Amino acid sequence: MSKRGKKAAIATSAALGASLGWVVSSYISNKRSLAENRPLLERLKDFEQQLYTDGFEKANDLQGIRQEVENRI
């Protein structure tokens, strides 16, 4: 192989390597952003579940306070 052919092969392999690295990096970045940006319906379900859980805890706290007041009376 001549000097020119070797340089062309090195330049081509470097360009292919850079392109491949960019493609893989973009793919991974898109996968991560999809995992972080869950669908709206799923986020609403989680919010509803958290709201229910918080309400249940508050109801239990209030029931405990009511019971304590009744016991003191």
Side-chain angles (χ1 to χ4, degrees):
M1 236 181 172
S2 67
K3 273 187 165 181
R4 188 175 185 154
K6 288 181 182 177
K7 286 182 181 180
I10 291 172
T12 302
S13 64
L16 286 174
S19 298
L20 182 62
W22 178 77
V23 167
V24 169
S25 174
S26 295
Y27 177 76
I28 291 172
S29 175
N30 286 339
K31 278 292 222 185
R32 284 185 182 151
S33 70
L34 286 176
E36 292 170 0
N37 296 325
R38 297 177 304 152
L40 178 63
L41 187 60
E42 188 176 322
R43 288 186 287 171
L44 283 173
K45 285 180 182 178
D46 289 346
F47 177 73
E48 180 186 19
Q49 182 63 37
Q50 185 63 41
L51 198 61
Y52 175 79
T53 303
D54 291 344
F56 188 74
E57 289 174 2
K58 290 279 188 188
N60 284 339
D61 291 343
L62 288 174
Q63 184 62 31
I65 292 170
R66 282 188 198 121
Q67 191 67 37
E68 187 177 323
V69 168
E70 286 180 12
N71 289 341
R72 287 189 180 182
I73 293 178

